[in-house]
Amino acid sequence: MSLPISRYPTPTLDGLPEDIRAKILEVQEKAGFVPNVFFGFAHRADEFRAFFAYHDALLLRESGLTKGEKEMIIVATSGANGCLYCVVAHGAILRVYEKAPMLADQLATNYRKADITPRQKAMLDFAMKVCLHSDELGDADYAALREHGFSDEDAWDIAGITALFGLSNRMANMMSLRPNDEFYLLGRLPRAPKG
Amino acid sequence: MSLPISRYPTPTLDGLPEDIRAKILEVQEKAGFVPNVFFGFAHRADEFRAFFAYHDALLLRESGLTKGEKEMIIVATSGANGCLYCVVAHGAILRVYEKAPMLADQLATNYRKADITPRQKAMLDFAMKVCLHSDELGDADYAALREHGFSDEDAWDIAGITALFGLSNRMANMMSLRPNDEFYLLGRLPRAPKG
Amino acid sequence: MSLPISRYPTPTLDGLPEDIRAKILEVQEKAGFVPNVFFGFAHRADEFRAFFAYHDALLLRESGLTKGEKEMIIVATSGANGCLYCVVAHGAILRVYEKAPMLADQLATNYRKADITPRQKAMLDFAMKVCLHSDELGDADYAALREHGFSDEDAWDIAGITALFGLSNRMANMMSLRPNDEFYLLGRLPRAPKG
Amino acid sequence: MSLPISRYPTPTLDGLPEDIRAKILEVQEKAGFVPNVFFGFAHRADEFRAFFAYHDALLLRESGLTKGEKEMIIVATSGANGCLYCVVAHGAILRVYEKAPMLADQLATNYRKADITPRQKAMLDFAMKVCLHSDELGDADYAALREHGFSDEDAWDIAGITALFGLSNRMANMMSLRPNDEFYLLGRLPRAPKG
Amino acid sequence: MSLPISRYPTPTLDGLPEDIRAKILEVQEKAGFVPNVFFGFAHRADEFRAFFAYHDALLLRESGLTKGEKEMIIVATSGANGCLYCVVAHGAILRVYEKAPMLADQLATNYRKADITPRQKAMLDFAMKVCLHSDELGDADYAALREHGFSDEDAWDIAGITALFGLSNRMANMMSLRPNDEFYLLGRLPRAPKG
Amino acid sequence: MSLPISRYPTPTLDGLPEDIRAKILEVQEKAGFVPNVFFGFAHRADEFRAFFAYHDALLLRESGLTKGEKEMIIVATSGANGCLYCVVAHGAILRVYEKAPMLADQLATNYRKADITPRQKAMLDFAMKVCLHSDELGDADYAALREHGFSDEDAWDIAGITALFGLSNRMANMMSLRPNDEFYLLGRLPRAPKG
């Protein structure tokens, strides 16, 4: 596909700082291709490093949320923000993690109609409020989370992931970041590709 | 999948009036399965007949819009209305018609970032205004369509399809109509199944 | 009044298919004039037939809602959609049915201030959510209806009427359908004209 | 009609200060009945006096707007604010002033579809922005007015009337001020009552 | 500061009617400067008189609200309306009244995060609903006020102040009324200037 | 002041990792106090590091925007997001940078009424669209920036700062981060404290 991946020039691997090139080669080794977000953000090395450090801090840490639940938050809030890149890319990751080929389309369109547990529904209610009306957050929202067994650290995780991808959604919308073609099909077939 | 397809009881084929059973068997023959919207609306025979008569009147008639363009309207406006059934079912039909495996996900999330022509973008601008702010429609909106070669009949088609699926979106949201599992993958593989 | 009734050419009775002409003559006989919606939709015969079949299926069937209550839904949701034709035409019908000369103006402006029962208020709360936020419909909305004695079939009726007139509102706004002058006064005088 | 006119106790004429009683008797003499807004606001004498002083300052002064145009602003913006009292009462006054029995219903529902001149449409565009998004007012809005021959004083009139009735709409909604039954029919019959 | 205080010509003291000049000189004597709202509204003498009569009726009367609480309402709702003049001018007055140098900035930005009592929070919840959605006011809103000991007269005060400053916000936004430089610092220093 | 600075426990300097403690001591040395955002984010060391790395990458880099202009973006968008911490803290920084004691209050309330240049107004128009409707960004928005001499890198800066503080606003609203009392007065007095 020769369509540009962004409004901004795409850097070449060779022209990138060593640590960024290494990170990109590592993800390529693991995923089989380089998600465009890596090249999109690599337009500015320091922001690239900060974004992925934040990403890893939130997504790789031990948490009361599973890896799949974290991706649910990303997909549902990115849908609300109209961010094509994140819906498609994280939709793929979610399908692979949860071995649930239909879940991402459900969450991106209307999380109230998705095949999720009431606990996950409460998690997404909180995430959507952080996403759309964070100024209105109050004690009742934390109480609703606690009723489903979420701790204060879990609340922070939900808000943090929503907030970080709110940033990512805005950057992707600004640069018109194009999802890799590979993502659209990933995790949709009965035997999901290795994630 | 044994999950209920709707809040309302699903009718059995045997219990349905002859004309409705015949229509359902015909679509099953053609598609290989019965889209749940048929059983959902069959809860009330007269409304079933009227809905599909309206559907066929708009979607089967000769038009300045291609069959694929009509589905683009359905997918984009159903995304705006948060209707899971229509996004998933008509997303599949769109992929098959246009042989464009990525287009439906793009349109349902953010039509401004989709791989469409400027003419199709203008068509969807008009459709989205009919969908979300029809009270504000005015001469400027028709003028914008004409700049892209759309006739007054085309404008009616765009509005009619948007309005009919606005009805369908509300009914599907009301009854929590579940998309058939088959739709999610349809038209995504290189060699699309016969539509 | 020589103002055009729509952006589209108004068909002449003679040029219309027999069944449509018969239906129009029948309503003229009964009402004393032809509501413009008949000529507006008659621009396309198949859509005319489907629309009125849907209309009759919902409005003429036996229901837990009275004929007047069905018109209340139409007037209140058409007000929310800014549809002049439906507010004026169905406002007239509502006045005649309910022998309530002030009710339509109340419902079109703010149903929370109208002279209706708490049960009718609950009916309109549900209708307005179908009209404006159908993606957010959930169990609590059905429970609220049941508290006022509405059955699941009644819920379908409320949603169906709201959805059908959501279609009608969008079509009328699109074609700038002009209400007949006759409607404005109908049912306002102490001795209402025969409806 | 024995329904209360407001959430607050209705004062009796005898209990009111002399100047307020005189004003009420004067309007009764002229209109044939006492519009409920007089009793509603009379709950507090000083606010009554200030409100009607403001009202008269704006509505009785010489202006580039006709008396009818001023009422158009009131009806359209009161519709946007969902204020039943003002829509019904000022709708009646507008019908009488303009000898236009259909105009108020048009403006309260959707001023874009009303039988008004392009100049009046521009006047209402400005009024609606003052009503709904006054923080976004800018030079372009004044320029649009000037294109239709409105002076800076006219702009002040439009904004002032919109702002005063925004106050009135909020007070009427707060106290659930009930329109007098008389207003609903006023000005609708061929020979309008003397205004 | 030589920037104009309004889109409209600023009247000179000498050219003003005696009563208005007297009122302006009185406020100058007391505050040390003339708040621009006096010159802004003095463009039209009758509206000036009515506005300040209304202002005094609401703000000087005995009430269940303290003087400071009345200013809280003005600051919070003016923030919601994006009115620079009222946020800055009444923010200053609030700081002086409450001897609370940080309170105005909190209320103008997000009253849910302000250093206020639960009772004051309930007062502002009601005010914000009057400000933004007065058509949706209902019994539950009055019940919430009563739980915090507010009487029906207090409810009127809250609504009246919100409504009057909704008028003021719209007029100030329309004329681009500039706050006096003096207001920005007033009441921020440990020893507040005499109010 | 003994009010908690956040819903979450405030870490003690001694308990923090060496690099974070060093950064906090450095800012304390420079500003004379520790802005609460440092303790708020220090609840999680890795997120602290990532956030401030991102912050420094955007705010310390060479840019077509001045340091003051970057703070304008933060203040205006934080106002739109209802984030008390960022409005107050960055309002202070903006006042110090620009030696403009009134500018922050103007931008937080309504940037259209602020004492800024047309170029800065265009910058904030773009920032507000990134903040509130990033899905609608398109070529026209970039063209509007270019008309004022902003480069593509400047557009990235505006979007990046808006997006990062959108994250910060959501985190601060979630944890109810309290601004330090010191910020409220900073930069307001004729001779601003050293920034």
Side-chain angles (χ1 to χ4, degrees):
Chain A
M1 169 62 71
S2 59
L3 286 172
I5 67 164
S6 154
R7 283 180 169 272
Y8 289 83
T10 305
T12 56
L13 259 186
D14 288 353
L16 291 171
E18 180 50 35
D19 62 318
I20 293 179
R21 187 166 59 229
K23 188 169 179 87
I24 289 178
L25 291 172
E26 185 192 336
V27 71
Q28 185 175 35
E29 173 72 22
K30 197 161 139 195
F33 64 95
V34 183
N36 287 339
V37 67
F38 287 90
F39 284 119
F41 270 94
H43 179 66
R44 289 191 175 178
D46 287 345
E47 296 173 33
F48 178 104
R49 291 181 189 111
F51 176 77
F52 287 105
Y54 214 134
H55 177 280
D56 292 353
L58 278 164
L59 297 188
L60 304 185
R61 78 189 296 274
E62 282 301 299
S63 163
L65 314 182
T66 66
K67 288 196 309 175
E69 285 169 344
K70 291 176 178 178
E71 295 294 327
M72 290 179 199
I73 295 169
I74 301 171
V75 172
T77 58
S78 296
N81 283 330
C83 178
L84 180 62
Y85 183 86
C86 294
V87 163
V88 170
H90 287 274
I93 298 172
L94 172 58
R95 287 190 296 270
V96 171
Y97 281 175
E98 293 284 303
K99 299 190 195 318
M102 306 180 299
L103 188 54
D105 294 350
Q106 295 169 353
L107 291 171
T109 305
N110 189 342
Y111 76 98
R112 295 172 195 83
K113 305 294 186 187
D115 295 327
I116 55 175
T117 64
R119 184 179 177 276
Q120 289 164 345
K121 166 76 163 45
M123 174 186 79
L124 294 176
D125 285 340
F126 188 83
M128 290 301 244
K129 191 156 185 184
V130 173
C131 179
L132 298 173
H133 307 288
S134 75
D135 58 317
E136 298 181 8
L137 284 169
D139 291 341
D141 301 299
Y142 293 86
L145 280 186
R146 272 193 297 272
E147 272 182 38
H148 288 277
F150 288 107
S151 70
D152 284 357
E153 291 307 306
D154 296 337
W156 181 298
D157 279 344
I158 299 169
I161 292 166
T162 302
L164 180 64
F165 283 88
L167 175 157
S168 179
N169 294 166
R170 284 169 177 77
M171 292 306 287
N173 274 335
M174 179 273 293
M175 68 175 95
S176 280
L177 187 64
R178 185 178 176 79
N180 304 60
D181 293 0
E182 290 87 342
F183 280 127
Y184 288 85
L185 193 58
L186 208 64
R188 293 191 180 273
L189 298 173
R191 191 172 305 179
K194 262 178 52 167
Chain B
M1 169 67 67
S2 60
L3 286 172
I5 68 163
S6 156
R7 281 179 169 274
Y8 289 82
T10 305
T12 57
L13 260 186
D14 287 354
L16 291 171
E18 182 48 36
D19 62 319
I20 292 180
R21 187 166 58 230
K23 189 170 178 84
I24 288 179
L25 290 172
E26 183 193 339
V27 70
Q28 185 175 36
E29 175 72 21
K30 195 163 141 198
F33 63 95
V34 183
N36 287 337
V37 68
F38 287 90
F39 284 120
F41 270 94
H43 179 65
R44 291 190 174 179
D46 287 345
E47 297 173 34
F48 177 103
R49 291 181 188 108
F51 177 76
F52 287 104
Y54 214 134
H55 176 281
D56 292 353
L58 277 164
L59 298 189
L60 304 185
R61 78 191 296 277
E62 281 302 297
S63 163
L65 314 183
T66 67
K67 286 195 309 173
E69 285 169 344
K70 291 176 177 179
E71 296 295 326
M72 289 179 201
I73 295 170
I74 301 172
V75 172
T77 58
S78 296
N81 283 331
C83 177
L84 181 61
Y85 184 84
C86 295
V87 163
V88 170
H90 288 274
I93 298 171
L94 172 59
R95 286 189 297 268
V96 171
Y97 281 176
E98 293 285 301
K99 299 191 198 317
M102 303 181 301
L103 188 54
D105 295 350
Q106 294 168 354
L107 290 171
T109 305
N110 190 342
Y111 77 99
R112 295 174 196 83
K113 305 295 187 187
D115 295 328
I116 54 176
T117 65
R119 185 179 177 275
Q120 290 164 343
K121 166 77 164 42
M123 174 186 80
L124 294 177
D125 285 339
F126 189 82
M128 290 302 245
K129 192 156 185 184
V130 173
C131 178
L132 298 173
H133 307 286
S134 75
D135 58 317
E136 299 180 9
L137 283 169
D139 291 341
D141 301 299
Y142 294 86
L145 281 184
R146 272 192 296 271
E147 271 182 39
H148 289 275
F150 289 106
S151 70
D152 283 358
E153 290 306 306
D154 297 336
W156 181 298
D157 279 344
I158 299 169
I161 292 167
T162 302
L164 179 64
F165 283 88
L167 175 156
S168 178
N169 294 166
R170 284 170 177 77
M171 291 306 286
N173 275 335
M174 179 274 290
M175 70 174 94
S176 279
L177 188 64
R178 185 179 177 78
N180 305 57
D181 294 0
E182 288 87 343
F183 280 127
Y184 287 86
L185 193 56
L186 210 61
R188 292 189 182 274
L189 296 174
R191 190 173 306 180
K194 262 178 47 166
Chain C
M1 171 63 69
S2 60
L3 285 172
I5 68 163
S6 155
R7 283 179 168 271
Y8 290 82
T10 305
T12 57
L13 259 187
D14 288 352
L16 290 172
E18 180 50 36
D19 61 319
I20 292 179
R21 188 167 57 232
K23 188 170 180 87
I24 288 179
L25 290 172
E26 183 192 339
V27 71
Q28 185 175 34
E29 173 72 23
K30 196 163 140 195
F33 63 97
V34 183
N36 288 337
V37 68
F38 287 90
F39 285 119
F41 270 94
H43 179 65
R44 289 191 176 179
D46 288 344
E47 297 173 32
F48 178 103
R49 292 181 188 110
F51 177 77
F52 287 105
Y54 214 134
H55 176 279
D56 291 353
L58 277 164
L59 297 188
L60 303 185
R61 77 190 297 274
E62 282 300 298
S63 162
L65 314 182
T66 66
K67 288 197 307 175
E69 285 169 344
K70 290 177 179 179
E71 295 295 328
M72 290 178 199
I73 295 169
I74 300 171
V75 173
T77 59
S78 296
N81 283 330
C83 178
L84 180 62
Y85 184 85
C86 295
V87 163
V88 170
H90 288 274
I93 299 171
L94 172 59
R95 287 190 295 269
V96 172
Y97 281 177
E98 293 284 304
K99 300 188 195 318
M102 304 180 300
L103 189 54
D105 294 351
Q106 295 169 353
L107 290 171
T109 306
N110 189 343
Y111 75 99
R112 295 172 196 84
K113 306 294 186 187
D115 295 326
I116 54 176
T117 64
R119 183 180 179 275
Q120 290 165 344
K121 166 76 163 43
M123 175 186 79
L124 294 176
D125 286 339
F126 189 82
M128 290 301 244
K129 191 155 184 185
V130 173
C131 178
L132 298 173
H133 307 288
S134 75
D135 58 317
E136 298 180 9
L137 284 168
D139 292 341
D141 301 299
Y142 294 86
L145 279 186
R146 272 192 296 271
E147 272 182 39
H148 288 276
F150 288 107
S151 69
D152 283 356
E153 290 307 306
D154 296 337
W156 182 296
D157 279 344
I158 300 169
I161 293 166
T162 302
L164 179 64
F165 283 88
L167 175 156
S168 179
N169 294 166
R170 283 169 178 78
M171 291 307 286
N173 275 333
M174 179 274 293
M175 68 175 94
S176 280
L177 187 64
R178 185 177 176 81
N180 305 58
D181 293 1
E182 289 87 342
F183 280 127
Y184 287 86
L185 193 57
L186 209 63
R188 292 190 182 273
L189 297 173
R191 190 173 306 179
K194 260 179 49 165
Chain D
M1 169 65 68
S2 60
L3 285 173
I5 68 162
S6 153
R7 281 180 169 272
Y8 289 81
T10 305
T12 56
L13 259 186
D14 288 353
L16 290 172
E18 181 49 34
D19 61 321
I20 293 179
R21 187 167 58 230
K23 187 169 179 86
I24 289 179
L25 290 172
E26 184 193 339
V27 72
Q28 185 175 35
E29 174 72 21
K30 194 163 143 197
F33 63 95
V34 183
N36 287 337
V37 67
F38 287 89
F39 285 119
F41 270 94
H43 179 64
R44 290 191 175 178
D46 287 344
E47 296 173 34
F48 177 103
R49 292 181 188 109
F51 177 77
F52 286 104
Y54 214 134
H55 176 280
D56 292 353
L58 278 164
L59 297 189
L60 304 185
R61 78 191 296 275
E62 281 301 299
S63 163
L65 315 181
T66 66
K67 285 196 311 173
E69 286 169 342
K70 291 176 178 180
E71 296 294 326
M72 290 179 198
I73 296 169
I74 301 171
V75 172
T77 59
S78 296
N81 284 330
C83 178
L84 180 62
Y85 183 84
C86 295
V87 163
V88 171
H90 288 274
I93 298 170
L94 172 59
R95 286 189 297 268
V96 172
Y97 281 176
E98 293 284 303
K99 300 191 198 313
M102 303 181 302
L103 188 55
D105 295 351
Q106 295 169 354
L107 290 171
T109 305
N110 190 343
Y111 76 99
R112 294 173 196 83
K113 305 295 187 188
D115 294 328
I116 55 176
T117 65
R119 184 178 177 275
Q120 290 164 344
K121 165 78 163 43
M123 174 186 80
L124 294 176
D125 286 339
F126 189 82
M128 289 302 242
K129 191 156 186 184
V130 173
C131 178
L132 298 172
H133 307 287
S134 76
D135 58 318
E136 299 180 9
L137 285 169
D139 291 340
D141 301 300
Y142 293 86
L145 280 185
R146 272 192 298 269
E147 271 181 40
H148 289 276
F150 289 108
S151 70
D152 284 356
E153 290 307 306
D154 297 337
W156 181 297
D157 279 344
I158 299 169
I161 292 166
T162 302
L164 180 64
F165 282 87
L167 176 156
S168 180
N169 293 167
R170 284 169 177 78
M171 292 306 286
N173 274 335
M174 180 275 293
M175 69 175 93
S176 278
L177 187 65
R178 186 177 177 80
N180 306 57
D181 293 1
E182 289 87 344
F183 280 126
Y184 288 85
L185 194 56
L186 209 62
R188 292 190 181 275
L189 297 173
R191 189 174 306 180
K194 259 178 51 164
Chain E
M1 169 64 71
S2 59
L3 285 171
I5 69 163
S6 155
R7 281 180 170 273
Y8 290 82
T10 304
T12 56
L13 260 186
D14 287 353
L16 291 171
E18 180 50 33
D19 62 320
I20 292 179
R21 188 167 57 230
K23 189 170 177 84
I24 288 180
L25 290 172
E26 183 193 340
V27 70
Q28 184 175 36
E29 173 74 21
K30 195 161 140 198
F33 63 95
V34 183
N36 287 337
V37 68
F38 287 89
F39 284 118
F41 271 94
H43 179 66
R44 289 189 175 180
D46 287 345
E47 296 173 33
F48 177 104
R49 291 181 188 109
F51 177 77
F52 287 104
Y54 214 134
H55 176 280
D56 292 353
L58 278 164
L59 297 188
L60 304 185
R61 78 189 296 273
E62 281 301 299
S63 162
L65 314 183
T66 66
K67 288 196 309 176
E69 285 169 345
K70 290 176 178 180
E71 295 295 327
M72 289 179 200
I73 295 169
I74 301 171
V75 173
T77 58
S78 296
N81 283 331
C83 178
L84 181 62
Y85 183 84
C86 295
V87 163
V88 170
H90 288 274
I93 298 172
L94 171 59
R95 286 190 296 269
V96 172
Y97 281 176
E98 292 285 302
K99 299 189 198 316
M102 305 181 299
L103 189 54
D105 294 350
Q106 294 168 353
L107 290 170
T109 306
N110 189 343
Y111 76 98
R112 294 172 196 84
K113 306 293 188 189
D115 295 326
I116 54 176
T117 65
R119 184 180 178 274
Q120 290 164 344
K121 166 76 164 44
M123 173 186 81
L124 294 176
D125 285 340
F126 189 83
M128 290 301 244
K129 192 156 186 184
V130 173
C131 178
L132 299 173
H133 306 288
S134 76
D135 57 317
E136 299 181 8
L137 284 169
D139 292 341
D141 301 299
Y142 293 85
L145 279 186
R146 272 193 297 270
E147 272 182 39
H148 288 277
F150 288 106
S151 70
D152 283 358
E153 290 306 306
D154 297 336
W156 182 298
D157 279 343
I158 299 169
I161 293 166
T162 302
L164 180 64
F165 283 87
L167 175 156
S168 178
N169 294 166
R170 283 169 178 78
M171 293 305 287
N173 274 334
M174 179 274 292
M175 70 175 93
S176 280
L177 187 64
R178 183 176 178 83
N180 305 58
D181 294 0
E182 289 87 343
F183 280 128
Y184 287 85
L185 194 57
L186 209 63
R188 293 190 181 274
L189 296 173
R191 191 174 304 180
K194 260 178 53 166
Chain F
M1 169 64 70
S2 59
L3 285 173
I5 67 164
S6 156
R7 282 180 169 273
Y8 289 82
T10 306
T12 57
L13 259 186
D14 288 352
L16 290 172
E18 182 48 36
D19 62 318
I20 293 179
R21 188 167 58 229
K23 188 170 179 85
I24 288 179
L25 290 173
E26 185 192 338
V27 72
Q28 184 175 35
E29 175 71 22
K30 197 162 138 195
F33 64 96
V34 183
N36 287 337
V37 68
F38 287 90
F39 285 119
F41 271 93
H43 179 65
R44 289 190 175 180
D46 287 345
E47 297 173 33
F48 177 104
R49 291 181 190 111
F51 176 77
F52 286 104
Y54 214 135
H55 176 280
D56 292 353
L58 278 164
L59 297 189
L60 304 185
R61 79 190 295 273
E62 282 301 298
S63 163
L65 315 182
T66 66
K67 287 197 308 175
E69 286 169 343
K70 291 176 177 180
E71 296 294 326
M72 289 178 198
I73 296 169
I74 300 172
V75 172
T77 59
S78 297
N81 283 330
C83 178
L84 181 61
Y85 183 84
C86 295
V87 163
V88 170
H90 287 275
I93 298 172
L94 172 60
R95 287 189 295 268
V96 172
Y97 281 176
E98 293 284 302
K99 300 191 196 316
M102 305 182 299
L103 188 55
D105 295 351
Q106 294 168 353
L107 290 171
T109 305
N110 190 342
Y111 77 98
R112 294 173 197 82
K113 306 294 187 187
D115 294 327
I116 54 176
T117 64
R119 184 178 177 275
Q120 290 164 343
K121 166 78 163 42
M123 175 187 79
L124 294 176
D125 286 341
F126 189 83
M128 289 303 242
K129 192 155 185 185
V130 173
C131 179
L132 298 172
H133 307 287
S134 75
D135 58 318
E136 299 181 8
L137 284 169
D139 291 341
D141 302 299
Y142 293 86
L145 280 186
R146 271 191 299 270
E147 272 182 39
H148 288 277
F150 289 107
S151 70
D152 283 358
E153 291 306 305
D154 297 337
W156 181 298
D157 279 343
I158 299 170
I161 292 166
T162 302
L164 180 65
F165 282 88
L167 176 157
S168 179
N169 293 166
R170 284 169 177 78
M171 292 306 287
N173 274 335
M174 180 273 294
M175 69 174 95
S176 279
L177 188 64
R178 185 178 176 80
N180 305 57
D181 293 1
E182 289 87 344
F183 280 126
Y184 287 86
L185 194 56
L186 209 62
R188 292 190 181 274
L189 296 174
R191 188 174 306 179
K194 259 176 56 163

